[in-house]
Structure formats: structure tokens, C-alpha cells
């Protein structure tokens, strides 16, 4: 089946499969959850993707989060070009690192010091190591459906790609690697209390996406994050917010600013790199100073603080700091929300919808009930999502190729994109699965 795929994309995918497992370099890109074959992108500009077959799509994936200003933002492109002329990478300190680190520390009160790496995976993995090193405890709590990248200890009951492929746990991860990872259902306070009762004294950290967005999109109920903050404090464990997706996407201060909580450590990625490969993690000085070379917790990276990535990230954050962008994203988010709700009403469907700022998800859950955790998300009708996805794609609108992902808006999405989206939604939601 080459549903919807053009000839050039199909040819490239055939070649890709010869030289790369599944033809892709990150599993969700393979369209397994929705069927058919991925299109190959030729270029991206603003809110649009163009594929090698000459078709254009309104992009609601945004490189899975980084493209908050849209693709190929002229100021970012110019900054990267200039940086490249000064050398691709040095492996020594340079000013860009100081500038971007200072911006992050200024925007996020809980972060006094920050260390750069090259991916969100590294950022969360390093947070866990640091938490264990700083507390001299072993156990960590993670929540089912939260995705924290693909490091061994965190690749259990993971959302996003593993969940999309129906294998939230990975082969090749040994029981030893995850024996200190405790998995709990999201939103279940009793489970947390019981777990702390048993393991509290050896608990290094509770790690979570404060707004889980790799299992569709789950909005935390009032008081739940505060509850986790209090419980960790009581038992002497650290609270780690994985804001790889939400950091600088839901405002300069991330989820922590929205809910008024100071986690002990925070992981970043995606938006802070302006589309370049970047991760970062930070927190209070006395915790961060456990890192080498000051402290005994080792962490390193040949390309960490990469000059091109720093240049792109600095400009992206500068544009965000100028103001107006988050207001625009909220307004566009409300527009899309209304488009979806209107179409649902017209077609007599009551699928639950979740949105926060520029992130949203439509769950194909027949009962219409809110999705609160992994089990709820898994109860969704994935075939209906696949039909919806392909119908949108045909109309030139690209949603994530999986029910278990959030959609992303950019500041470049405008009137024309809303019109195309409205037409596509009408067609996709009125076509019953
Ligand atoms: C994307 C993501 C990661 C992993 O980041 P990579 O850059 O893909 O390694 C970790 N945590 C969350 C919440 C993410 O959304």
C-alpha cells in the first residue's frame, strides 16, 4: 500500500529501506501507526512543508516541537549562516554558550545553572544521573506514558514512538538497567503515596512531563503537580520536570511558571535549539555543582554547546522574548480549537479534545471522556485516527502520524492556514471511519 505517497517519495523510501532500518531515523516517522508511507520533505518554510512530489502541507508537527516560529525563520537562518562562517564546531568554550545559558537561567527561576548537551534524551538521562549522584539514592519514579527519550533506564512504559509501535518497553533493555525505575500511573496519588511509603528513603527523584504530551496530550488536574512537589520534598527526593517539549513553548517560564512550582531539576530541548540538535538541563546551584568538573557526577559531549545550535537557539529565544508570540499562539490555538469543536458538533461526534497554548490533541475516544492517563489513551480508536490522519493529509494538512502525539502550532500559522485546516477538518471528520 502506498496510500497517498507520490512517486519520488515512494522511490526514496524504497532506497531508504535498503540502507536504514524501516527507512527512517526515528521510528514514528515511518507512519506505521497510520499505514501508508511517509512523504519526503524537500523544503519547509513558515507553517508549510513541501514534499519532493511538489505537494504542500500545513504543518502541525513542527519538527515535533522546535519550530515554534515556523520553518526557516529568516533571522535564525541568517544567524546560523554567520555562525557557520566562524567555524562549525570548536570543542572549546565560546560566547554563544554563555548567552543562551544566561537566557535560560533568566527565564526559569528554578534554574540557576544549566549544562548543554545535544538531545532531550541526554538531558533527561543526565538529570537522573545527577539526581542519583546528588542524593546518593537509587530509585526513580516515572509515570506510564511519559516519554523521556530513549536511554535504558527510562525506556519502560514510555509514550511516543514506543507506544505508537505497541511496545512501550524496548527489547535490549536489561532488567538490571530498569530495576531502580518505578513505574506509576499518572494522576494516581494513592499509588505515589504507597510507593513512597515503601521506597521513599531510597528515592532519588520523581521524573515527569508536567504536561504529558507523548501520549496524546494530558492536562494535569488541579493540585496534582503541587502534590508531587510536596511529597518529594517530604521524602528528600528531587522533583525533575521534563520540559523538553513544553519549555519555552508554553511561555518563557514553561509549565513551572504556569503552575507556580519550582522543580529541583529541569530538562530542555526542542525549542531552545531553534531547530538544531540541542538539549539542556539545569537547576539549583548546589545540585548542578555535583557535575564534573566541579563534582563527581560525570557528564560530557563532544558537540555540546554546538556553535550553530547556540546561534539558532539564541535568536529563537530573542524573538520569543520580544513579546507577542505566545499571545499570538494562544489566539491561533483558540481558532483551531473552535474549528475542531464546530466540526465535531456538526458531525455529531464528541471526541475529547485537549489543548494548552499551541499544543493540542484530538483523542478518538468514543465515550467522549477526558483522557487522564496512559490506559485512557490506549482505549482510543487508533483506526479512526488513521483514517482521520490520511483524510487531512489528502487535503494538505499534516497532523502527527500517531494518536499518541501532540499537534504543534507555530507563530507563522495564519489566516490562509486556518482556511485550509477548516476545509480539511470538515472533510476528515464527516467521513466516518
Ligand atoms: C522529545 C522528548 C524527549 C527526547 O528528546 P530527543 O531530542 O528526541 O532525544 C524527552 N522528553 C520529552 C518530554 C520529549 O518530548
Amino acid at each position: 500500500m502506498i496510500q497517498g505517497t507520490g512517486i519520488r517519495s515512494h522511490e526514496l523510501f524504497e532506497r531508504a529501506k535498503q540502507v536504514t532500518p524501516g527507512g527512517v531515523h526515528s521510528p514514528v516517522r515511518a507512519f506505521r501507526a497510520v499505514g501508508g508511507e511517509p512523504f519526503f520533505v524537500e523544503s519547509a518554510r513558515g507553517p508549510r512543508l513541501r514534499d519532493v512530489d511538489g505537494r504542500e502541507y500545513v504543518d502541525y508537527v513542527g519538527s515535533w516541537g522546535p519550530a515554534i516560529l515556523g520553518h526557516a525563520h529568516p533571522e535564525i537562518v541568517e544567524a546560523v549562516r554567520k555562525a557557520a562562517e566562524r567555524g562549525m564546531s570548536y570543542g572549546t568554550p565560546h560566547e554563544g554558550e554563555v548567552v543562551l545559558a544566561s537566557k535560560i537561567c533568566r527565564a526559569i527561576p528554578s534554574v540557576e545553572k544549566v549544562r548543554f548537551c545535544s538531545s532531550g534524551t541526554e538531558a533527561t538521562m543526565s538529570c537522573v544521573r545527577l539526581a542519583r549522584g546528588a542524593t546518593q539514592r537509587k530509585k526513580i519514579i516515572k509515570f506510564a506514558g511519559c516519554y523521556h527519550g530513549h536511554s535504558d533506564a527510562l525506556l519502560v512504559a514510555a509514550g511516543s514512538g514506543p507506544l505508537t509501535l505497541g511496545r512501550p518497553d524496548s527489547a535490549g533493555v536489561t532488567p538490571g538497567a530498569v530495576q531502580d525505575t518505578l513505574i506509576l500511573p499518572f494522576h494516581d496519588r494513592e499509588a505515589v503515596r504507597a510507593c513512597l511509603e515503601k521506597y521513599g528513603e531510597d528515592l532519588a527523584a520523581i521524573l515527569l512531563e508536567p504536561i504529558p504530551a507523548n501520549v496524546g496530550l494530558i492536562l494535569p488536574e488541579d493540585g496534582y503537580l503541587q502534590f508531587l512537589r510536596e511529597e518529594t520534598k517530604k521524602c528528600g527526593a528531587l522533583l525533575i520536570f521534563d520540559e523538553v517539549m513544553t519549555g519555552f513553548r508554553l511561555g518563557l517560564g514553561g509549565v513551572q511558571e504556569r503552575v507556580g512550582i519550582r522543580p529541583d531539576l529541569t530538562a530542555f530541548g526542542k525549542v531552545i535549539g531553534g531547530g538544531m540538535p540541542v538539549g539542556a538541563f539545569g537547576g539549583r546551584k548546589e545540585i548542578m555543582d555535583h557535575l564534573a568538573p566541579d563534582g563527581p557526577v560525570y557528564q560530557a559531549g563532544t558537540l555540546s554547546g554546538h556553535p550553530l545550535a547556540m546561534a539558532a537557539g539564541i535568536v529563537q529565544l530573542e524573538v520569543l522574548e520580544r513579546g507577542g508570540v505566545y499571545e499570538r499562539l494562544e489566539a491561533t490555538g483558540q481558532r483551531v480549537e473552535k474549528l475542531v469543536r464546530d466540526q465535531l458538533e456538526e458531525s455529531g461526534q464528541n471526541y475529547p479534545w485537549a489543548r494548552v497554548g499551541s499544543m493540542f490533541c484530538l483523542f478518538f475516544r468514543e465515550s467522549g471522556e477526558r483522557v487522564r492517563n496512559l490506559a485512557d489513551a490506549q482505549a482510543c480508536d487508533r483506526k479512526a485516527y488513521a483514517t482521520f490522519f490520511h483524510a487531512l493529509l489528502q487535503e494538505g494538512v499534516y497532523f502527527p502520524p500517531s494518536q499518541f502525539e501532540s499537534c504543534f502550532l507555530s507563530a507563522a500559522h495564519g489566516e490562509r492556514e486556518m482556511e485550509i485546516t477548516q476545509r480539511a477538518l470538515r472533510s476528515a471528520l464527516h467521513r466516518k471511519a
Side-chain angles (χ1 to χ4, degrees):
M1 181 171 66
I2 56 163
Q3 198 176 349
T5 309
I7 291 177
R8 281 273 296 145
S9 285
H10 178 63
E11 279 171 6
L12 283 170
F13 195 48
E14 287 303 309
R15 277 172 58 197
K17 284 188 289 188
Q18 302 295 315
V19 289
T20 296
V24 293
H25 295 275
S26 198
V28 182
R29 299 178 193 171
F31 278 30
R32 291 286 167 87
V34 291
E37 293 183 351
F39 56 87
F40 277 62
V41 170
E42 188 255 338
S43 63
R45 178 165 290 275
R48 309 281 186 105
L49 295 177
R50 174 179 283 275
D51 74 11
V52 292
D53 299 293
R55 284 182 301 204
E56 212 173 58
Y57 305 94
V58 176
D59 183 15
Y60 284 99
V61 178
S63 185
W64 304 96
I68 192 167
L69 303 176
H71 298 284
H73 188 280
E75 289 177 68
I76 296 178
V77 172
E78 185 53 24
V80 170
R81 195 198 321 272
K82 280 200 182 129
E85 281 168 3
R86 294 192 300 269
M88 300 295 285
S89 176
Y90 322 123
T92 73
H94 65 100
E95 187 175 355
E97 299 166 333
V98 187
V99 174
L100 190 56
S102 304
K103 283 188 181 303
I104 294 172
C105 293
R106 201 178 319 128
I108 318 269
S110 75
V111 174
E112 293 173 349
K113 287 190 177 180
V114 67
R115 166 77 49 94
F116 288 115
C117 49
S118 298
S119 67
T121 295
E122 284 176 77
T124 53
M125 177 184 82
S126 304
C127 281
V128 168
R129 184 182 307 142
L130 177 55
R132 285 173 168 159
T135 59
Q136 306 203 6
R137 296 171 171 195
K138 284 201 293 289
K139 304 272 183 214
I140 53 164
I141 288 176
K142 103 171 255 302
F143 295 95
C146 284
Y147 178 67
H148 304 292
H150 62 95
S151 69
D152 282 2
L154 301 178
L155 208 50
V156 270
S160 192
L163 182 56
T164 295
L165 300 178
R167 287 182 225 132
D169 305 331
S170 171
V173 173
T174 62
V178 293
Q179 70 184 2
D180 293 317
T181 306
L182 305 161
I183 308 293
L184 300 180
F186 200 78
H187 272 140
D188 185 341
R189 297 186 193 207
E190 266 323 300
V192 171
R193 283 196 197 98
C195 191
L196 293 181
E197 185 89 12
K198 193 157 174 206
Y199 297 108
E201 284 181 6
D202 198 24
L203 191 74
I206 293 184
L207 165 66
L208 76 156
E209 296 180 69
I211 295 183
N214 284 284
V215 56
L217 181 66
I218 293 177
L219 305 181
E221 286 162 8
D222 281 352
Y224 180 65
L225 298 175
Q226 282 79 2
F227 161 77
L228 295 176
R229 174 66 282 182
E230 282 156 25
E231 291 300 320
T232 41
K233 208 166 245 166
K234 271 192 251 165
C235 76
L238 304 187
L239 182 66
I240 307 174
F241 273 10
D242 178 350
E243 296 225 44
V244 169
M245 196 179 277
T246 52
F248 294 90
R249 163 137 315 253
L250 299 179
L252 291 176
V255 178
Q256 48 195 278
E257 179 180 56
R258 283 184 175 238
V259 295
I261 288 177
R262 288 193 180 203
D264 300 295
L265 290 172
T266 306
F268 300 96
K270 298 191 171 122
V271 170
I272 62 162
M276 289 286 194
V278 169
F281 59 102
R284 286 203 309 281
K285 281 191 197 100
E286 63 267 26
I287 300 174
M288 291 301 287
D289 286 343
H290 283 85
L291 281 177
D294 282 349
V297 178
Y298 196 72
Q299 188 279 335
T302 301
L303 297 178
S304 293
H306 194 273
L308 270 55
M310 296 297 110
I314 289 166
V315 173
Q316 176 128 296
L317 296 199
E318 269 171 11
V319 175
L320 294 172
E321 286 162 358
R322 268 176 225 158
V325 178
Y326 295 110
E327 289 77 5
R328 181 183 163 82
L329 288 168
E330 174 60 30
T332 315
Q334 288 178 11
R335 292 275 314 270
V336 174
E337 175 159 348
K338 184 162 179 352
L339 295 183
V340 173
R341 287 194 189 282
D342 286 353
Q343 289 310 319
L344 285 175
E345 202 175 298
E346 264 182 46
S347 60
Q349 294 163 105
N350 72 334
Y351 295 131
W353 157 270
R355 180 181 72 84
V356 54
S358 56
M359 299 164 66
F360 61 86
C361 180
L362 180 63
F363 286 106
F364 284 74
R365 191 179 197 202
E366 289 291 346
S367 71
E369 283 170 80
R370 243 159 69 86
V371 168
R372 299 177 65 244
N373 56 33
L374 173 63
D376 291 350
Q378 282 176 313
C380 291
D381 183 348
R382 284 173 247 176
K383 267 174 78 181
Y385 184 83
T387 306
F388 171 73
F389 167 84
H390 279 292
L392 287 181
L393 199 64
Q394 234 168 43
E395 297 286 332
V397 170
Y398 177 49
F399 265 37
S402 162
Q403 169 75 85
F404 303 121
E405 304 286 352
S406 170
C407 294
F408 296 98
L409 277 164
S410 81
H413 284 67
E415 204 51 45
R416 187 77 192 103
E417 284 70 37
M418 291 304 107
E419 285 166 20
I420 296 170
T421 304
Q422 182 175 33
R423 190 169 352 105
L425 283 169
R426 175 168 292 140
S427 159
L429 284 171
H430 286 247
R431 177 187 327 209
K432 257 311 230 180

mmCIF file of all heavy atoms in Angstrom, residues 379-413:
data_model
loop_
_atom_site.group_PDB
_atom_site.id
_atom_site.type_symbol
_atom_site.label_atom_id
_atom_site.label_comp_id
_atom_site.label_asym_id
_atom_site.label_seq_id
_atom_site.Cartn_x
_atom_site.Cartn_y
_atom_site.Cartn_z
ATOM 1 N N ALA A 379 -7.145 3.328 25.086
ATOM 2 C CA ALA A 379 -8.514 2.913 24.769
ATOM 3 C C ALA A 379 -9.064 3.649 23.544
ATOM 4 O O ALA A 379 -10.184 3.397 23.122
ATOM 5 C CB ALA A 379 -9.418 3.154 25.970
ATOM 6 N N CYS A 380 -8.263 4.553 22.963
ATOM 7 C CA CYS A 380 -8.737 5.312 21.806
ATOM 8 C C CYS A 380 -8.775 4.443 20.556
ATOM 9 O O CYS A 380 -8.066 3.453 20.444
ATOM 10 C CB CYS A 380 -7.848 6.527 21.562
ATOM 11 S SG CYS A 380 -8.032 7.770 22.839
ATOM 12 N N ASP A 381 -9.608 4.862 19.614
ATOM 13 C CA ASP A 381 -9.793 4.129 18.360
ATOM 14 C C ASP A 381 -8.703 4.574 17.370
ATOM 15 O O ASP A 381 -8.843 5.578 16.680
ATOM 16 C CB ASP A 381 -11.188 4.440 17.805
ATOM 17 C CG ASP A 381 -11.486 3.659 16.545
ATOM 18 O OD1 ASP A 381 -10.557 3.062 15.963
ATOM 19 O OD2 ASP A 381 -12.655 3.660 16.135
ATOM 20 N N ARG A 382 -7.641 3.803 17.330
ATOM 21 C CA ARG A 382 -6.497 4.207 16.514
ATOM 22 C C ARG A 382 -6.774 4.098 15.018
ATOM 23 O O ARG A 382 -6.170 4.798 14.229
ATOM 24 C CB ARG A 382 -5.273 3.378 16.875
ATOM 25 C CG ARG A 382 -4.692 3.854 18.204
ATOM 26 C CD ARG A 382 -3.600 2.965 18.680
ATOM 27 N NE ARG A 382 -3.995 2.277 19.892
ATOM 28 C CZ ARG A 382 -3.242 1.367 20.494
ATOM 29 N NH1 ARG A 382 -2.081 1.022 19.986
ATOM 30 N NH2 ARG A 382 -3.659 0.795 21.598
ATOM 31 N N LYS A 383 -7.690 3.197 14.672
ATOM 32 C CA LYS A 383 -8.050 3.096 13.249
ATOM 33 C C LYS A 383 -8.786 4.351 12.803
ATOM 34 O O LYS A 383 -8.559 4.850 11.710
ATOM 35 C CB LYS A 383 -8.911 1.856 12.996
ATOM 36 C CG LYS A 383 -8.032 0.673 12.599
ATOM 37 C CD LYS A 383 -8.779 -0.604 12.462
ATOM 38 C CE LYS A 383 -9.572 -0.807 11.190
ATOM 39 N NZ LYS A 383 -10.249 -2.131 11.265
ATOM 40 N N ALA A 384 -9.630 4.834 13.682
ATOM 41 C CA ALA A 384 -10.348 6.072 13.352
ATOM 42 C C ALA A 384 -9.351 7.219 13.217
ATOM 43 O O ALA A 384 -9.483 8.068 12.333
ATOM 44 C CB ALA A 384 -11.387 6.391 14.422
ATOM 45 N N TYR A 385 -8.333 7.223 14.087
ATOM 46 C CA TYR A 385 -7.315 8.279 13.968
ATOM 47 C C TYR A 385 -6.587 8.178 12.633
ATOM 48 O O TYR A 385 -6.344 9.181 11.962
ATOM 49 C CB TYR A 385 -6.298 8.239 15.114
ATOM 50 C CG TYR A 385 -5.316 9.390 15.008
ATOM 51 C CD1 TYR A 385 -5.652 10.648 15.507
ATOM 52 C CD2 TYR A 385 -4.110 9.247 14.323
ATOM 53 C CE1 TYR A 385 -4.802 11.726 15.347
ATOM 54 C CE2 TYR A 385 -3.255 10.329 14.150
ATOM 55 C CZ TYR A 385 -3.601 11.567 14.672
ATOM 56 O OH TYR A 385 -2.770 12.643 14.495
ATOM 57 N N ALA A 386 -6.241 6.943 12.246
ATOM 58 C CA ALA A 386 -5.510 6.740 10.985
ATOM 59 C C ALA A 386 -6.327 7.247 9.798
ATOM 60 O O ALA A 386 -5.793 7.911 8.897
ATOM 61 C CB ALA A 386 -5.162 5.265 10.817
ATOM 62 N N THR A 387 -7.617 6.967 9.800
ATOM 63 C CA THR A 387 -8.492 7.431 8.719
ATOM 64 C C THR A 387 -8.523 8.957 8.689
ATOM 65 O O THR A 387 -8.401 9.584 7.633
ATOM 66 C CB THR A 387 -9.929 6.889 8.941
ATOM 67 O OG1 THR A 387 -9.851 5.473 9.085
ATOM 68 C CG2 THR A 387 -10.828 7.242 7.785
ATOM 69 N N PHE A 388 -8.651 9.530 9.883
ATOM 70 C CA PHE A 388 -8.666 10.988 10.041
ATOM 71 C C PHE A 388 -7.354 11.593 9.526
ATOM 72 O O PHE A 388 -7.338 12.541 8.734
ATOM 73 C CB PHE A 388 -8.874 11.280 11.528
ATOM 74 C CG PHE A 388 -8.705 12.701 11.959
ATOM 75 C CD1 PHE A 388 -9.660 13.665 11.639
ATOM 76 C CD2 PHE A 388 -7.623 13.086 12.746
ATOM 77 C CE1 PHE A 388 -9.530 14.981 12.077
ATOM 78 C CE2 PHE A 388 -7.482 14.393 13.188
ATOM 79 C CZ PHE A 388 -8.436 15.347 12.847
ATOM 80 N N PHE A 389 -6.243 10.992 9.943
ATOM 81 C CA PHE A 389 -4.919 11.474 9.549
ATOM 82 C C PHE A 389 -4.778 11.518 8.019
ATOM 83 O O PHE A 389 -4.339 12.517 7.451
ATOM 84 C CB PHE A 389 -3.836 10.561 10.152
ATOM 85 C CG PHE A 389 -2.474 10.775 9.568
ATOM 86 C CD1 PHE A 389 -1.650 11.778 10.037
ATOM 87 C CD2 PHE A 389 -2.018 9.977 8.513
ATOM 88 C CE1 PHE A 389 -0.396 11.993 9.481
ATOM 89 C CE2 PHE A 389 -0.766 10.182 7.945
ATOM 90 C CZ PHE A 389 0.049 11.192 8.433
ATOM 91 N N HIS A 390 -5.154 10.416 7.363
ATOM 92 C CA HIS A 390 -4.982 10.360 5.905
ATOM 93 C C HIS A 390 -5.936 11.299 5.175
ATOM 94 O O HIS A 390 -5.585 11.867 4.140
ATOM 95 C CB HIS A 390 -5.136 8.924 5.404
ATOM 96 C CG HIS A 390 -3.882 8.127 5.601
ATOM 97 N ND1 HIS A 390 -2.721 8.381 4.900
ATOM 98 C CD2 HIS A 390 -3.595 7.101 6.436
ATOM 99 C CE1 HIS A 390 -1.773 7.545 5.293
ATOM 100 N NE2 HIS A 390 -2.269 6.752 6.224
ATOM 101 N N ALA A 391 -7.126 11.460 5.747
ATOM 102 C CA ALA A 391 -8.073 12.389 5.120
ATOM 103 C C ALA A 391 -7.524 13.817 5.198
ATOM 104 O O ALA A 391 -7.602 14.575 4.227
ATOM 105 C CB ALA A 391 -9.430 12.295 5.820
ATOM 106 N N LEU A 392 -6.937 14.172 6.337
ATOM 107 C CA LEU A 392 -6.326 15.503 6.466
ATOM 108 C C LEU A 392 -5.166 15.658 5.489
ATOM 109 O O LEU A 392 -5.015 16.683 4.820
ATOM 110 C CB LEU A 392 -5.807 15.720 7.895
ATOM 111 C CG LEU A 392 -6.822 15.950 9.011
ATOM 112 C CD1 LEU A 392 -6.075 16.154 10.333
ATOM 113 C CD2 LEU A 392 -7.694 17.165 8.727
ATOM 114 N N LEU A 393 -4.351 14.630 5.419
ATOM 115 C CA LEU A 393 -3.152 14.690 4.571
ATOM 116 C C LEU A 393 -3.552 14.936 3.114
ATOM 117 O O LEU A 393 -2.930 15.724 2.405
ATOM 118 C CB LEU A 393 -2.359 13.379 4.706
ATOM 119 C CG LEU A 393 -0.903 13.428 4.277
ATOM 120 C CD1 LEU A 393 -0.092 14.378 5.155
ATOM 121 C CD2 LEU A 393 -0.284 12.032 4.318
ATOM 122 N N GLN A 394 -4.598 14.250 2.712
ATOM 123 C CA GLN A 394 -5.087 14.405 1.343
ATOM 124 C C GLN A 394 -5.507 15.845 1.069
ATOM 125 O O GLN A 394 -5.396 16.326 -0.050
ATOM 126 C CB GLN A 394 -6.307 13.510 1.162
ATOM 127 C CG GLN A 394 -6.186 12.573 -0.018
ATOM 128 C CD GLN A 394 -7.285 11.527 0.027
ATOM 129 O OE1 GLN A 394 -8.456 11.829 0.306
ATOM 130 N NE2 GLN A 394 -6.910 10.289 -0.228
ATOM 131 N N GLU A 395 -5.982 16.504 2.117
ATOM 132 C CA GLU A 395 -6.425 17.897 1.968
ATOM 133 C C GLU A 395 -5.291 18.877 2.247
ATOM 134 O O GLU A 395 -5.516 20.075 2.400
ATOM 135 C CB GLU A 395 -7.578 18.180 2.935
ATOM 136 C CG GLU A 395 -8.820 17.345 2.680
ATOM 137 C CD GLU A 395 -9.590 17.805 1.431
ATOM 138 O OE1 GLU A 395 -9.500 19.002 1.090
ATOM 139 O OE2 GLU A 395 -10.247 16.961 0.804
ATOM 140 N N GLY A 396 -4.057 18.352 2.378
ATOM 141 C CA GLY A 396 -2.918 19.247 2.554
ATOM 142 C C GLY A 396 -2.683 19.693 3.986
ATOM 143 O O GLY A 396 -2.119 20.759 4.231
ATOM 144 N N VAL A 397 -3.092 18.874 4.951
ATOM 145 C CA VAL A 397 -2.857 19.201 6.356
ATOM 146 C C VAL A 397 -2.142 18.029 7.026
ATOM 147 O O VAL A 397 -2.635 16.895 7.000
ATOM 148 C CB VAL A 397 -4.186 19.504 7.085
ATOM 149 C CG1 VAL A 397 -3.972 19.604 8.589
ATOM 150 C CG2 VAL A 397 -4.782 20.806 6.553
ATOM 151 N N TYR A 398 -0.997 18.316 7.601
ATOM 152 C CA TYR A 398 -0.179 17.253 8.192
ATOM 153 C C TYR A 398 -0.284 17.280 9.712
ATOM 154 O O TYR A 398 0.242 18.171 10.369
ATOM 155 C CB TYR A 398 1.273 17.433 7.745
ATOM 156 C CG TYR A 398 2.255 16.441 8.331
ATOM 157 C CD1 TYR A 398 1.997 15.073 8.307
ATOM 158 C CD2 TYR A 398 3.447 16.876 8.897
ATOM 159 C CE1 TYR A 398 2.902 14.158 8.851
ATOM 160 C CE2 TYR A 398 4.362 15.974 9.434
ATOM 161 C CZ TYR A 398 4.086 14.616 9.404
ATOM 162 O OH TYR A 398 4.977 13.728 9.936
ATOM 163 N N PHE A 399 -0.992 16.302 10.260
ATOM 164 C CA PHE A 399 -1.057 16.066 11.704
ATOM 165 C C PHE A 399 -0.037 14.979 12.024
ATOM 166 O O PHE A 399 0.421 14.283 11.120
ATOM 167 C CB PHE A 399 -2.469 15.595 12.095
ATOM 168 C CG PHE A 399 -3.394 16.693 12.562
ATOM 169 C CD1 PHE A 399 -3.357 17.957 11.985
ATOM 170 C CD2 PHE A 399 -4.312 16.471 13.572
ATOM 171 C CE1 PHE A 399 -4.216 18.968 12.408
ATOM 172 C CE2 PHE A 399 -5.176 17.471 14.005
ATOM 173 C CZ PHE A 399 -5.133 18.716 13.422
ATOM 174 N N PRO A 400 0.321 14.777 13.297
ATOM 175 C CA PRO A 400 1.285 13.713 13.605
ATOM 176 C C PRO A 400 0.757 12.333 13.190
ATOM 177 O O PRO A 400 -0.436 12.073 13.359
ATOM 178 C CB PRO A 400 1.459 13.789 15.113
ATOM 179 C CG PRO A 400 0.682 14.941 15.591
ATOM 180 C CD PRO A 400 -0.114 15.509 14.490
ATOM 181 N N PRO A 401 1.637 11.502 12.669
ATOM 182 C CA PRO A 401 1.203 10.182 12.200
ATOM 183 C C PRO A 401 1.004 9.192 13.338
ATOM 184 O O PRO A 401 1.416 8.028 13.239
ATOM 185 C CB PRO A 401 2.338 9.759 11.259
ATOM 186 C CG PRO A 401 3.534 10.461 11.789
ATOM 187 C CD PRO A 401 3.040 11.761 12.368
ATOM 188 N N SER A 402 0.384 9.598 14.412
ATOM 189 C CA SER A 402 0.099 8.733 15.546
ATOM 190 C C SER A 402 -0.883 9.432 16.473
ATOM 191 O O SER A 402 -0.794 10.642 16.692
ATOM 192 C CB SER A 402 1.389 8.422 16.321
ATOM 193 O OG SER A 402 1.073 7.952 17.619
ATOM 194 N N GLN A 403 -1.805 8.658 17.034
ATOM 195 C CA GLN A 403 -2.744 9.192 18.025
ATOM 196 C C GLN A 403 -2.019 9.663 19.285
ATOM 197 O O GLN A 403 -2.521 10.494 20.030
ATOM 198 C CB GLN A 403 -3.765 8.096 18.382
ATOM 199 C CG GLN A 403 -4.648 8.404 19.576
ATOM 200 C CD GLN A 403 -5.744 9.435 19.289
ATOM 201 O OE1 GLN A 403 -6.805 9.122 18.818
ATOM 202 N NE2 GLN A 403 -5.447 10.703 19.592
ATOM 203 N N PHE A 404 -0.829 9.118 19.510
ATOM 204 C CA PHE A 404 -0.147 9.376 20.785
ATOM 205 C C PHE A 404 0.826 10.541 20.727
ATOM 206 O O PHE A 404 1.834 10.557 21.432
ATOM 207 C CB PHE A 404 0.567 8.116 21.263
ATOM 208 C CG PHE A 404 -0.361 6.936 21.402
ATOM 209 C CD1 PHE A 404 -0.142 5.778 20.698
ATOM 210 C CD2 PHE A 404 -1.459 7.008 22.233
ATOM 211 C CE1 PHE A 404 -1.002 4.688 20.819
ATOM 212 C CE2 PHE A 404 -2.334 5.939 22.367
ATOM 213 C CZ PHE A 404 -2.105 4.772 21.659
ATOM 214 N N GLU A 405 0.550 11.505 19.862
ATOM 215 C CA GLU A 405 1.413 12.675 19.771
ATOM 216 C C GLU A 405 0.557 13.930 19.843
ATOM 217 O O GLU A 405 -0.609 13.924 19.462
ATOM 218 C CB GLU A 405 2.193 12.681 18.447
ATOM 219 C CG GLU A 405 3.026 11.436 18.191
ATOM 220 C CD GLU A 405 4.286 11.352 19.050
ATOM 221 O OE1 GLU A 405 4.607 12.340 19.755
ATOM 222 O OE2 GLU A 405 4.931 10.293 19.021
ATOM 223 N N SER A 406 1.178 14.990 20.314
ATOM 224 C CA SER A 406 0.519 16.286 20.340
ATOM 225 C C SER A 406 0.721 16.980 18.994
ATOM 226 O O SER A 406 1.713 16.742 18.310
ATOM 227 C CB SER A 406 1.140 17.127 21.461
ATOM 228 O OG SER A 406 0.708 18.462 21.375
ATOM 229 N N CYS A 407 -0.224 17.832 18.619
ATOM 230 C CA CYS A 407 -0.037 18.710 17.465
ATOM 231 C C CYS A 407 0.604 20.006 17.948
ATOM 232 O O CYS A 407 0.424 20.400 19.104
ATOM 233 C CB CYS A 407 -1.371 19.062 16.829
ATOM 234 S SG CYS A 407 -2.237 17.687 16.086
ATOM 235 N N PHE A 408 1.335 20.652 17.047
ATOM 236 C CA PHE A 408 2.002 21.910 17.394
ATOM 237 C C PHE A 408 1.655 23.002 16.395
ATOM 238 O O PHE A 408 1.707 22.790 15.195
ATOM 239 C CB PHE A 408 3.527 21.733 17.376
ATOM 240 C CG PHE A 408 4.029 20.771 18.403
ATOM 241 C CD1 PHE A 408 4.300 19.462 18.053
ATOM 242 C CD2 PHE A 408 4.221 21.174 19.710
ATOM 243 C CE1 PHE A 408 4.768 18.557 18.999
ATOM 244 C CE2 PHE A 408 4.688 20.286 20.659
ATOM 245 C CZ PHE A 408 4.963 18.975 20.301
ATOM 246 N N LEU A 409 1.361 24.172 16.935
ATOM 247 C CA LEU A 409 1.164 25.353 16.104
ATOM 248 C C LEU A 409 2.438 26.184 16.109
ATOM 249 O O LEU A 409 3.219 26.113 17.052
ATOM 250 C CB LEU A 409 0.071 26.221 16.721
ATOM 251 C CG LEU A 409 -1.367 25.848 16.400
ATOM 252 C CD1 LEU A 409 -2.278 26.548 17.388
ATOM 253 C CD2 LEU A 409 -1.688 26.240 14.970
ATOM 254 N N SER A 410 2.597 26.983 15.067
ATOM 255 C CA SER A 410 3.706 27.936 15.070
ATOM 256 C C SER A 410 3.126 29.343 14.942
ATOM 257 O O SER A 410 1.962 29.517 14.563
ATOM 258 C CB SER A 410 4.655 27.670 13.900
ATOM 259 O OG SER A 410 4.139 28.248 12.710
ATOM 260 N N ALA A 411 3.986 30.309 15.241
ATOM 261 C CA ALA A 411 3.563 31.702 15.121
ATOM 262 C C ALA A 411 3.364 32.088 13.662
ATOM 263 O O ALA A 411 2.813 33.146 13.361
ATOM 264 C CB ALA A 411 4.598 32.625 15.776
ATOM 265 N N ALA A 412 3.803 31.236 12.754
ATOM 266 C CA ALA A 412 3.656 31.538 11.327
ATOM 267 C C ALA A 412 2.315 31.059 10.773
ATOM 268 O O ALA A 412 1.960 31.387 9.641
ATOM 269 C CB ALA A 412 4.804 30.904 10.537
ATOM 270 N N HIS A 413 1.575 30.264 11.547
ATOM 271 C CA HIS A 413 0.258 29.825 11.084
ATOM 272 C C HIS A 413 -0.678 31.031 11.044
ATOM 273 O O HIS A 413 -0.853 31.712 12.060
ATOM 274 C CB HIS A 413 -0.332 28.756 12.009
ATOM 275 C CG HIS A 413 0.280 27.391 11.842
ATOM 276 N ND1 HIS A 413 1.576 27.114 12.184
ATOM 277 C CD2 HIS A 413 -0.236 26.232 11.357
ATOM 278 C CE1 HIS A 413 1.842 25.840 11.912
ATOM 279 N NE2 HIS A 413 0.760 25.270 11.410
#
